[in-house]
Amino acid sequence: SFIDSLVLAADSASNFDTMIGVSSQDSFVPLLQASAYLLKEDFLKARSLYDKYIELGKKQGLLRMSACLYADRAYCHANLGDIEGALSDVSRALSHVSPADHFDDQASTHARLSQVLSIAGRLEESERNRKIANELWIRHRSFQNRLLENLAGVERGRT
C-alpha cells in the first residue's frame, strides 16, 4: 500500500543518511517514520518514535514543526486511550503554534487537534479548532493562488 511505501521510503532515507555519514538531523527520518506509522494507524509505534525524537528534533532545527508533531502525538495518545496524555500534548501543540508558521502547518495542527478533542469528548473545543483549521486552509489556498499568479506574471515577462 501507499502507506507501507512511505515507511519503506523513510527507512531507505535513513539507510542512505547512515551510508553517507549525515547525522546532523538524525531525528528527521524517525519523525517521518512516526508520521507514516500514524497514517498506518500503528499508534503505539508512532507514539514511541514521537516520544523519542520530538525534543531532539526541536534541538536540531525542527522547532517550526513542533506544533504539528505534538498534535500528532496527541492523536496517538487519544487513539490508545490515554486521554490525559492526549490533552497534555494538545496544550503543548497550542503553545507552539505561531502566526509566523506556514498556514498549512497551522491548519494541519488545528485539524488534528480537532480530532483529538473530539475523541476526548471536548466537542466545543474540537469545533473551534476545526473552524480555525478551515479558515487557515482558505488562507493557504489564497496564498498559493497569489503565488501562481505572480509566477505566471514572471513567465509572461520572459516571452
Side-chain angles (χ1 to χ4, degrees):
S1 78
F2 175 72
I3 295 171
D4 290 328
S5 297
L6 289 176
V7 173
L8 290 174
D11 288 341
S12 177
S14 177
N15 292 336
F16 179 76
D17 288 351
T18 300
M19 182 182 75
I20 64 170
V22 175
S23 62
S24 63
Q25 276 194 336
D26 52 349
S27 60
F28 186 70
V29 170
L31 289 169
L32 284 177
Q33 291 168 323
S35 295
Y37 284 123
L38 182 138
L39 292 172
K40 226 178 145 170
E41 298 184 357
D42 190 339
F43 301 115
L44 198 56
K45 277 186 184 174
R47 184 178 67 181
S48 175
L49 289 168
Y50 287 128
D51 287 346
K52 188 172 180 182
Y53 290 100
I54 287 177
E55 295 306 318
L56 180 60
K58 287 168 52 179
K59 293 174 187 170
Q60 294 180 337
L62 301 177
L63 184 62
R64 184 183 70 78
M65 296 175 58
S66 297
C68 294
L69 296 172
Y70 285 125
D72 283 348
R73 187 171 71 179
Y75 188 66
C76 292
H77 283 301
N79 279 283
L80 292 168
D82 178 9
I83 300 303
E84 186 177 321
L87 294 176
S88 178
D89 273 345
V90 165
S91 295
R92 282 186 186 96
L94 288 171
S95 75
H96 283 83
V97 173
S98 167
D101 292 342
H102 298 167
F103 295 134
D104 57 332
D105 290 336
Q106 293 179 64
S108 64
T109 296
H110 284 286
R112 181 66 77 199
L113 293 178
S114 175
Q115 292 175 312
V116 173
L117 290 163
S118 178
I119 293 168
R122 299 205 175 178
L123 302 183
E124 287 181 23
E125 292 173 77
S126 171
E127 181 62 15
R128 186 171 45 252
N129 277 275
R130 187 192 64 75
K131 286 180 180 178
I132 292 169
N134 287 343
E135 290 169 11
L136 287 162
W137 284 124
I138 290 168
R139 291 176 73 184
H140 176 64
R141 282 196 253 351
S142 175
F143 172 75
Q144 286 180 318
N145 288 335
R146 282 194 315 275
L147 193 60
L148 289 171
E149 288 169 9
N150 290 339
L151 289 171
V154 168
E155 185 60 31
R156 281 192 299 271
R158 286 188 195 173
T159 57

mmCIF file with all atom_site columns, all heavy atoms in Angstrom, residues 60-81:
data_model
loop_
_atom_site.group_PDB
_atom_site.id
_atom_site.type_symbol
_atom_site.label_atom_id
_atom_site.label_alt_id
_atom_site.label_comp_id
_atom_site.label_asym_id
_atom_site.label_entity_id
_atom_site.label_seq_id
_atom_site.pdbx_PDB_ins_code
_atom_site.Cartn_x
_atom_site.Cartn_y
_atom_site.Cartn_z
_atom_site.occupancy
_atom_site.B_iso_or_equiv
_atom_site.pdbx_formal_charge
_atom_site.auth_seq_id
_atom_site.auth_comp_id
_atom_site.auth_asym_id
_atom_site.auth_atom_id
_atom_site.pdbx_PDB_model_num
ATOM 1   N N   . GLN A 1 60 ? 17.380 20.176 16.788 1.00 0.00 ? 60 GLN A N   1
ATOM 2   C CA  . GLN A 1 60 ? 18.080 20.009 15.512 1.00 0.00 ? 60 GLN A CA  1
ATOM 3   C C   . GLN A 1 60 ? 17.428 20.801 14.376 1.00 0.00 ? 60 GLN A C   1
ATOM 4   O O   . GLN A 1 60 ? 17.577 20.449 13.219 1.00 0.00 ? 60 GLN A O   1
ATOM 5   C CB  . GLN A 1 60 ? 18.133 18.526 15.146 1.00 0.00 ? 60 GLN A CB  1
ATOM 6   C CG  . GLN A 1 60 ? 18.974 17.713 16.097 1.00 0.00 ? 60 GLN A CG  1
ATOM 7   C CD  . GLN A 1 60 ? 19.020 16.247 15.725 1.00 0.00 ? 60 GLN A CD  1
ATOM 8   O OE1 . GLN A 1 60 ? 18.153 15.716 15.042 1.00 0.00 ? 60 GLN A OE1 1
ATOM 9   N NE2 . GLN A 1 60 ? 20.059 15.571 16.181 1.00 0.00 ? 60 GLN A NE2 1
ATOM 10  N N   . GLY A 1 61 ? 16.716 21.844 14.708 1.00 0.00 ? 61 GLY A N   1
ATOM 11  C CA  . GLY A 1 61 ? 16.188 22.721 13.672 1.00 0.00 ? 61 GLY A CA  1
ATOM 12  C C   . GLY A 1 61 ? 14.755 22.445 13.248 1.00 0.00 ? 61 GLY A C   1
ATOM 13  O O   . GLY A 1 61 ? 14.276 23.030 12.285 1.00 0.00 ? 61 GLY A O   1
ATOM 14  N N   . LEU A 1 62 ? 14.055 21.574 13.957 1.00 0.00 ? 62 LEU A N   1
ATOM 15  C CA  . LEU A 1 62 ? 12.684 21.255 13.580 1.00 0.00 ? 62 LEU A CA  1
ATOM 16  C C   . LEU A 1 62 ? 11.656 21.923 14.498 1.00 0.00 ? 62 LEU A C   1
ATOM 17  O O   . LEU A 1 62 ? 10.508 21.498 14.566 1.00 0.00 ? 62 LEU A O   1
ATOM 18  C CB  . LEU A 1 62 ? 12.474 19.730 13.580 1.00 0.00 ? 62 LEU A CB  1
ATOM 19  C CG  . LEU A 1 62 ? 13.390 18.938 12.646 1.00 0.00 ? 62 LEU A CG  1
ATOM 20  C CD1 . LEU A 1 62 ? 13.130 17.444 12.783 1.00 0.00 ? 62 LEU A CD1 1
ATOM 21  C CD2 . LEU A 1 62 ? 13.226 19.383 11.208 1.00 0.00 ? 62 LEU A CD2 1
ATOM 22  N N   . LEU A 1 63 ? 12.078 22.982 15.171 1.00 0.00 ? 63 LEU A N   1
ATOM 23  C CA  . LEU A 1 63 ? 11.189 23.670 16.104 1.00 0.00 ? 63 LEU A CA  1
ATOM 24  C C   . LEU A 1 63 ? 9.904  24.126 15.411 1.00 0.00 ? 63 LEU A C   1
ATOM 25  O O   . LEU A 1 63 ? 8.825  24.063 15.979 1.00 0.00 ? 63 LEU A O   1
ATOM 26  C CB  . LEU A 1 63 ? 11.914 24.863 16.733 1.00 0.00 ? 63 LEU A CB  1
ATOM 27  C CG  . LEU A 1 63 ? 11.155 25.630 17.810 1.00 0.00 ? 63 LEU A CG  1
ATOM 28  C CD1 . LEU A 1 63 ? 10.844 24.714 19.001 1.00 0.00 ? 63 LEU A CD1 1
ATOM 29  C CD2 . LEU A 1 63 ? 11.964 26.834 18.277 1.00 0.00 ? 63 LEU A CD2 1
ATOM 30  N N   . ARG A 1 64 ? 10.026 24.566 14.170 1.00 0.00 ? 64 ARG A N   1
ATOM 31  C CA  . ARG A 1 64 ? 8.862  25.037 13.408 1.00 0.00 ? 64 ARG A CA  1
ATOM 32  C C   . ARG A 1 64 ? 7.799  23.949 13.265 1.00 0.00 ? 64 ARG A C   1
ATOM 33  O O   . ARG A 1 64 ? 6.621  24.239 13.107 1.00 0.00 ? 64 ARG A O   1
ATOM 34  C CB  . ARG A 1 64 ? 9.332  25.507 12.024 1.00 0.00 ? 64 ARG A CB  1
ATOM 35  C CG  . ARG A 1 64 ? 8.253  26.097 11.158 1.00 0.00 ? 64 ARG A CG  1
ATOM 36  C CD  . ARG A 1 64 ? 8.771  26.472 9.786  1.00 0.00 ? 64 ARG A CD  1
ATOM 37  N NE  . ARG A 1 64 ? 9.100  25.349 8.956  1.00 0.00 ? 64 ARG A NE  1
ATOM 38  C CZ  . ARG A 1 64 ? 8.204  24.604 8.305  1.00 0.00 ? 64 ARG A CZ  1
ATOM 39  N NH1 . ARG A 1 64 ? 6.932  24.864 8.405  1.00 0.00 ? 64 ARG A NH1 1
ATOM 40  N NH2 . ARG A 1 64 ? 8.586  23.612 7.539  1.00 0.00 ? 64 ARG A NH2 1
ATOM 41  N N   . MET A 1 65 ? 8.192  22.697 13.341 1.00 0.00 ? 65 MET A N   1
ATOM 42  C CA  . MET A 1 65 ? 7.263  21.583 13.182 1.00 0.00 ? 65 MET A CA  1
ATOM 43  C C   . MET A 1 65 ? 6.681  21.101 14.517 1.00 0.00 ? 65 MET A C   1
ATOM 44  O O   . MET A 1 65 ? 5.852  20.205 14.539 1.00 0.00 ? 65 MET A O   1
ATOM 45  C CB  . MET A 1 65 ? 7.981  20.413 12.499 1.00 0.00 ? 65 MET A CB  1
ATOM 46  C CG  . MET A 1 65 ? 8.441  20.711 11.094 1.00 0.00 ? 65 MET A CG  1
ATOM 47  S SD  . MET A 1 65 ? 9.415  19.349 10.388 1.00 0.00 ? 65 MET A SD  1
ATOM 48  C CE  . MET A 1 65 ? 8.275  17.984 10.497 1.00 0.00 ? 65 MET A CE  1
ATOM 49  N N   . SER A 1 66 ? 7.109  21.694 15.618 1.00 0.00 ? 66 SER A N   1
ATOM 50  C CA  . SER A 1 66 ? 6.729  21.203 16.947 1.00 0.00 ? 66 SER A CA  1
ATOM 51  C C   . SER A 1 66 ? 5.228  21.088 17.144 1.00 0.00 ? 66 SER A C   1
ATOM 52  O O   . SER A 1 66 ? 4.741  20.088 17.681 1.00 0.00 ? 66 SER A O   1
ATOM 53  C CB  . SER A 1 66 ? 7.293  22.107 18.035 1.00 0.00 ? 66 SER A CB  1
ATOM 54  O OG  . SER A 1 66 ? 8.682  22.098 18.012 1.00 0.00 ? 66 SER A OG  1
ATOM 55  N N   . ALA A 1 67 ? 4.479  22.112 16.751 1.00 0.00 ? 67 ALA A N   1
ATOM 56  C CA  . ALA A 1 67 ? 3.035  22.090 16.972 1.00 0.00 ? 67 ALA A CA  1
ATOM 57  C C   . ALA A 1 67 ? 2.403  20.885 16.264 1.00 0.00 ? 67 ALA A C   1
ATOM 58  O O   . ALA A 1 67 ? 1.589  20.170 16.859 1.00 0.00 ? 67 ALA A O   1
ATOM 59  C CB  . ALA A 1 67 ? 2.401  23.394 16.492 1.00 0.00 ? 67 ALA A CB  1
ATOM 60  N N   . CYS A 1 68 ? 2.801  20.661 15.016 1.00 0.00 ? 68 CYS A N   1
ATOM 61  C CA  . CYS A 1 68 ? 2.272  19.512 14.263 1.00 0.00 ? 68 CYS A CA  1
ATOM 62  C C   . CYS A 1 68 ? 2.659  18.193 14.925 1.00 0.00 ? 68 CYS A C   1
ATOM 63  O O   . CYS A 1 68 ? 1.830  17.269 15.018 1.00 0.00 ? 68 CYS A O   1
ATOM 64  C CB  . CYS A 1 68 ? 2.805  19.517 12.832 1.00 0.00 ? 68 CYS A CB  1
ATOM 65  S SG  . CYS A 1 68 ? 2.268  20.882 11.817 1.00 0.00 ? 68 CYS A SG  1
ATOM 66  N N   . LEU A 1 69 ? 3.892  18.097 15.365 1.00 0.00 ? 69 LEU A N   1
ATOM 67  C CA  . LEU A 1 69 ? 4.370  16.860 15.971 1.00 0.00 ? 69 LEU A CA  1
ATOM 68  C C   . LEU A 1 69 ? 3.652  16.560 17.278 1.00 0.00 ? 69 LEU A C   1
ATOM 69  O O   . LEU A 1 69 ? 3.248  15.418 17.525 1.00 0.00 ? 69 LEU A O   1
ATOM 70  C CB  . LEU A 1 69 ? 5.882  16.932 16.189 1.00 0.00 ? 69 LEU A CB  1
ATOM 71  C CG  . LEU A 1 69 ? 6.729  17.040 14.914 1.00 0.00 ? 69 LEU A CG  1
ATOM 72  C CD1 . LEU A 1 69 ? 8.188  17.306 15.262 1.00 0.00 ? 69 LEU A CD1 1
ATOM 73  C CD2 . LEU A 1 69 ? 6.593  15.791 14.059 1.00 0.00 ? 69 LEU A CD2 1
ATOM 74  N N   . TYR A 1 70 ? 3.470  17.584 18.111 1.00 0.00 ? 70 TYR A N   1
ATOM 75  C CA  . TYR A 1 70 ? 2.733  17.374 19.362 1.00 0.00 ? 70 TYR A CA  1
ATOM 76  C C   . TYR A 1 70 ? 1.275  17.005 19.088 1.00 0.00 ? 70 TYR A C   1
ATOM 77  O O   . TYR A 1 70 ? 0.692  16.176 19.782 1.00 0.00 ? 70 TYR A O   1
ATOM 78  C CB  . TYR A 1 70 ? 2.805  18.608 20.261 1.00 0.00 ? 70 TYR A CB  1
ATOM 79  C CG  . TYR A 1 70 ? 4.127  18.789 20.953 1.00 0.00 ? 70 TYR A CG  1
ATOM 80  C CD1 . TYR A 1 70 ? 4.842  19.973 20.833 1.00 0.00 ? 70 TYR A CD1 1
ATOM 81  C CD2 . TYR A 1 70 ? 4.662  17.784 21.754 1.00 0.00 ? 70 TYR A CD2 1
ATOM 82  C CE1 . TYR A 1 70 ? 6.056  20.153 21.480 1.00 0.00 ? 70 TYR A CE1 1
ATOM 83  C CE2 . TYR A 1 70 ? 5.886  17.953 22.405 1.00 0.00 ? 70 TYR A CE2 1
ATOM 84  C CZ  . TYR A 1 70 ? 6.565  19.145 22.262 1.00 0.00 ? 70 TYR A CZ  1
ATOM 85  O OH  . TYR A 1 70 ? 7.774  19.312 22.905 1.00 0.00 ? 70 TYR A OH  1
ATOM 86  N N   . ALA A 1 71 ? 0.678  17.638 18.081 1.00 0.00 ? 71 ALA A N   1
ATOM 87  C CA  . ALA A 1 71 ? -0.709 17.315 17.727 1.00 0.00 ? 71 ALA A CA  1
ATOM 88  C C   . ALA A 1 71 ? -0.822 15.861 17.264 1.00 0.00 ? 71 ALA A C   1
ATOM 89  O O   . ALA A 1 71 ? -1.763 15.151 17.644 1.00 0.00 ? 71 ALA A O   1
ATOM 90  C CB  . ALA A 1 71 ? -1.214 18.272 16.650 1.00 0.00 ? 71 ALA A CB  1
ATOM 91  N N   . ASP A 1 72 ? 0.141  15.417 16.461 1.00 0.00 ? 72 ASP A N   1
ATOM 92  C CA  . ASP A 1 72 ? 0.118  14.024 16.004 1.00 0.00 ? 72 ASP A CA  1
ATOM 93  C C   . ASP A 1 72 ? 0.330  13.055 17.164 1.00 0.00 ? 72 ASP A C   1
ATOM 94  O O   . ASP A 1 72 ? -0.311 12.000 17.230 1.00 0.00 ? 72 ASP A O   1
ATOM 95  C CB  . ASP A 1 72 ? 1.164  13.794 14.914 1.00 0.00 ? 72 ASP A CB  1
ATOM 96  C CG  . ASP A 1 72 ? 0.728  14.333 13.563 1.00 0.00 ? 72 ASP A CG  1
ATOM 97  O OD1 . ASP A 1 72 ? -0.462 14.679 13.401 1.00 0.00 ? 72 ASP A OD1 1
ATOM 98  O OD2 . ASP A 1 72 ? 1.576  14.412 12.658 1.00 0.00 ? 72 ASP A OD2 1
ATOM 99  N N   . ARG A 1 73 ? 1.219  13.410 18.089 1.00 0.00 ? 73 ARG A N   1
ATOM 100 C CA  . ARG A 1 73 ? 1.416  12.528 19.242 1.00 0.00 ? 73 ARG A CA  1
ATOM 101 C C   . ARG A 1 73 ? 0.158  12.512 20.114 1.00 0.00 ? 73 ARG A C   1
ATOM 102 O O   . ARG A 1 73 ? -0.222 11.465 20.652 1.00 0.00 ? 73 ARG A O   1
ATOM 103 C CB  . ARG A 1 73 ? 2.642  12.934 20.060 1.00 0.00 ? 73 ARG A CB  1
ATOM 104 C CG  . ARG A 1 73 ? 2.936  11.907 21.170 1.00 0.00 ? 73 ARG A CG  1
ATOM 105 C CD  . ARG A 1 73 ? 4.245  12.143 21.855 1.00 0.00 ? 73 ARG A CD  1
ATOM 106 N NE  . ARG A 1 73 ? 4.192  13.344 22.696 1.00 0.00 ? 73 ARG A NE  1
ATOM 107 C CZ  . ARG A 1 73 ? 5.216  13.757 23.428 1.00 0.00 ? 73 ARG A CZ  1
ATOM 108 N NH1 . ARG A 1 73 ? 6.367  13.105 23.423 1.00 0.00 ? 73 ARG A NH1 1
ATOM 109 N NH2 . ARG A 1 73 ? 5.099  14.853 24.159 1.00 0.00 ? 73 ARG A NH2 1
ATOM 110 N N   . ALA A 1 74 ? -0.510 13.648 20.233 1.00 0.00 ? 74 ALA A N   1
ATOM 111 C CA  . ALA A 1 74 ? -1.766 13.706 20.979 1.00 0.00 ? 74 ALA A CA  1
ATOM 112 C C   . ALA A 1 74 ? -2.789 12.755 20.356 1.00 0.00 ? 74 ALA A C   1
ATOM 113 O O   . ALA A 1 74 ? -3.526 12.063 21.068 1.00 0.00 ? 74 ALA A O   1
ATOM 114 C CB  . ALA A 1 74 ? -2.306 15.137 20.990 1.00 0.00 ? 74 ALA A CB  1
ATOM 115 N N   . TYR A 1 75 ? -2.805 12.708 19.032 1.00 0.00 ? 75 TYR A N   1
ATOM 116 C CA  . TYR A 1 75 ? -3.724 11.809 18.317 1.00 0.00 ? 75 TYR A CA  1
ATOM 117 C C   . TYR A 1 75 ? -3.394 10.347 18.628 1.00 0.00 ? 75 TYR A C   1
ATOM 118 O O   . TYR A 1 75 ? -4.301 9.532  18.814 1.00 0.00 ? 75 TYR A O   1
ATOM 119 C CB  . TYR A 1 75 ? -3.631 12.100 16.821 1.00 0.00 ? 75 TYR A CB  1
ATOM 120 C CG  . TYR A 1 75 ? -4.654 11.396 15.969 1.00 0.00 ? 75 TYR A CG  1
ATOM 121 C CD1 . TYR A 1 75 ? -6.006 11.698 16.076 1.00 0.00 ? 75 TYR A CD1 1
ATOM 122 C CD2 . TYR A 1 75 ? -4.263 10.452 15.029 1.00 0.00 ? 75 TYR A CD2 1
ATOM 123 C CE1 . TYR A 1 75 ? -6.945 11.068 15.274 1.00 0.00 ? 75 TYR A CE1 1
ATOM 124 C CE2 . TYR A 1 75 ? -5.196 9.820  14.230 1.00 0.00 ? 75 TYR A CE2 1
ATOM 125 C CZ  . TYR A 1 75 ? -6.533 10.130 14.345 1.00 0.00 ? 75 TYR A CZ  1
ATOM 126 O OH  . TYR A 1 75 ? -7.455 9.503  13.546 1.00 0.00 ? 75 TYR A OH  1
ATOM 127 N N   . CYS A 1 76 ? -2.120 10.042 18.713 1.00 0.00 ? 76 CYS A N   1
ATOM 128 C CA  . CYS A 1 76 ? -1.714 8.679  19.099 1.00 0.00 ? 76 CYS A CA  1
ATOM 129 C C   . CYS A 1 76 ? -2.205 8.366  20.505 1.00 0.00 ? 76 CYS A C   1
ATOM 130 O O   . CYS A 1 76 ? -2.811 7.316  20.745 1.00 0.00 ? 76 CYS A O   1
ATOM 131 C CB  . CYS A 1 76 ? -0.193 8.528  19.031 1.00 0.00 ? 76 CYS A CB  1
ATOM 132 S SG  . CYS A 1 76 ? 0.508  8.598  17.383 1.00 0.00 ? 76 CYS A SG  1
ATOM 133 N N   . HIS A 1 77 ? -1.932 9.274  21.443 1.00 0.00 ? 77 HIS A N   1
ATOM 134 C CA  . HIS A 1 77 ? -2.383 9.083  22.824 1.00 0.00 ? 77 HIS A CA  1
ATOM 135 C C   . HIS A 1 77 ? -3.892 8.826  22.858 1.00 0.00 ? 77 HIS A C   1
ATOM 136 O O   . HIS A 1 77 ? -4.350 7.889  23.513 1.00 0.00 ? 77 HIS A O   1
ATOM 137 C CB  . HIS A 1 77 ? -2.086 10.324 23.681 1.00 0.00 ? 77 HIS A CB  1
ATOM 138 C CG  . HIS A 1 77 ? -0.671 10.481 24.111 1.00 0.00 ? 77 HIS A CG  1
ATOM 139 N ND1 . HIS A 1 77 ? 0.007  9.558  24.863 1.00 0.00 ? 77 HIS A ND1 1
ATOM 140 C CD2 . HIS A 1 77 ? 0.194  11.511 23.920 1.00 0.00 ? 77 HIS A CD2 1
ATOM 141 C CE1 . HIS A 1 77 ? 1.234  9.998  25.114 1.00 0.00 ? 77 HIS A CE1 1
ATOM 142 N NE2 . HIS A 1 77 ? 1.373  11.177 24.546 1.00 0.00 ? 77 HIS A NE2 1
ATOM 143 N N   . ALA A 1 78 ? -4.639 9.681  22.165 1.00 0.00 ? 78 ALA A N   1
ATOM 144 C CA  . ALA A 1 78 ? -6.100 9.576  22.191 1.00 0.00 ? 78 ALA A CA  1
ATOM 145 C C   . ALA A 1 78 ? -6.572 8.233  21.650 1.00 0.00 ? 78 ALA A C   1
ATOM 146 O O   . ALA A 1 78 ? -7.455 7.599  22.230 1.00 0.00 ? 78 ALA A O   1
ATOM 147 C CB  . ALA A 1 78 ? -6.722 10.725 21.394 1.00 0.00 ? 78 ALA A CB  1
ATOM 148 N N   . ASN A 1 79 ? -5.956 7.793  20.563 1.00 0.00 ? 79 ASN A N   1
ATOM 149 C CA  . ASN A 1 79 ? -6.361 6.520  19.961 1.00 0.00 ? 79 ASN A CA  1
ATOM 150 C C   . ASN A 1 79 ? -5.905 5.315  20.768 1.00 0.00 ? 79 ASN A C   1
ATOM 151 O O   . ASN A 1 79 ? -6.417 4.215  20.574 1.00 0.00 ? 79 ASN A O   1
ATOM 152 C CB  . ASN A 1 79 ? -5.871 6.432  18.512 1.00 0.00 ? 79 ASN A CB  1
ATOM 153 C CG  . ASN A 1 79 ? -6.786 7.174  17.588 1.00 0.00 ? 79 ASN A CG  1
ATOM 154 O OD1 . ASN A 1 79 ? -7.859 6.696  17.251 1.00 0.00 ? 79 ASN A OD1 1
ATOM 155 N ND2 . ASN A 1 79 ? -6.387 8.382  17.203 1.00 0.00 ? 79 ASN A ND2 1
ATOM 156 N N   . LEU A 1 80 ? -4.958 5.514  21.665 1.00 0.00 ? 80 LEU A N   1
ATOM 157 C CA  . LEU A 1 80 ? -4.519 4.445  22.561 1.00 0.00 ? 80 LEU A CA  1
ATOM 158 C C   . LEU A 1 80 ? -5.236 4.515  23.915 1.00 0.00 ? 80 LEU A C   1
ATOM 159 O O   . LEU A 1 80 ? -4.919 3.767  24.831 1.00 0.00 ? 80 LEU A O   1
ATOM 160 C CB  . LEU A 1 80 ? -2.997 4.517  22.756 1.00 0.00 ? 80 LEU A CB  1
ATOM 161 C CG  . LEU A 1 80 ? -2.174 4.172  21.508 1.00 0.00 ? 80 LEU A CG  1
ATOM 162 C CD1 . LEU A 1 80 ? -0.712 4.558  21.701 1.00 0.00 ? 80 LEU A CD1 1
ATOM 163 C CD2 . LEU A 1 80 ? -2.300 2.684  21.169 1.00 0.00 ? 80 LEU A CD2 1
ATOM 164 N N   . GLY A 1 81 ? -6.199 5.431  24.023 1.00 0.00 ? 81 GLY A N   1
ATOM 165 C CA  . GLY A 1 81 ? -6.995 5.539  25.238 1.00 0.00 ? 81 GLY A CA  1
ATOM 166 C C   . GLY A 1 81 ? -6.378 6.384  26.338 1.00 0.00 ? 81 GLY A C   1
ATOM 167 O O   . GLY A 1 81 ? -6.906 6.449  27.439 1.00 0.00 ? 81 GLY A O   1
#
